[in-house]
Amino acid sequence: MRVKINRDVCTAQLAFCERCLGKFLREPMGYERHCFDEIVDDGQEDLTVEIYSGEHHTVLVLNEEQRLQAAKEGWSFFVPFLPDMYRNGGA
């Protein structure tokens, strides 16, 4: 499965965002949020998460173990940038 997330459309602060995405990472077939631009069943076992946050764009490819670890620790631990704590603007 491949999911594209645009954090810029949500005004929630980082801790809420991490819990929200963590819920999806635990239950990818039963959870969708308004920040999801796209969800595609690409036939792959690994979950591809494409994250847009401000000027940053990163792609995470997670196997089941990594997916559950990211759900527990928070996605910001796995990206190569420091996400903003609060979003200004948003939808």
Side-chain angles (χ1 to χ4, degrees), residues 40-58:
V40 177
D41 183 359
D42 61 2
Q44 300 297 314
E45 268 189 51
D46 292 343
L47 174 64
T48 301
V49 182
E50 190 172 345
I51 300 174
Y52 292 87
S53 182
E55 62 190 45
H56 304 284
H57 170 238
T58 194

Side-chain angles (χ1 to χ4, degrees), residues 7-63:
R7 186 168 177 240
D8 297 334
V9 301
C10 182
T11 59
Q13 57 109 333
L14 182 59
F16 180 85
C17 180
E18 288 195 324
R19 284 193 312 271
C20 183
L21 183 55
K23 174 80 170 153
F24 171 77
L25 293 173
R26 285 188 298 280
E27 303 173 34
M29 297 303 286
Y31 190 76
E32 181 178 345
R33 299 303 298 172
H34 69 275
C35 65
F36 289 17
D37 281 344
E38 185 178 351
I39 297 178
V40 177
D41 183 359
D42 61 2
Q44 300 297 314
E45 268 189 51
D46 292 343
L47 174 64
T48 301
V49 182
E50 190 172 345
I51 300 174
Y52 292 87
S53 182
E55 62 190 45
H56 304 284
H57 170 238
T58 194
V59 176
L60 304 174
V61 179
L62 307 170
N63 62 31

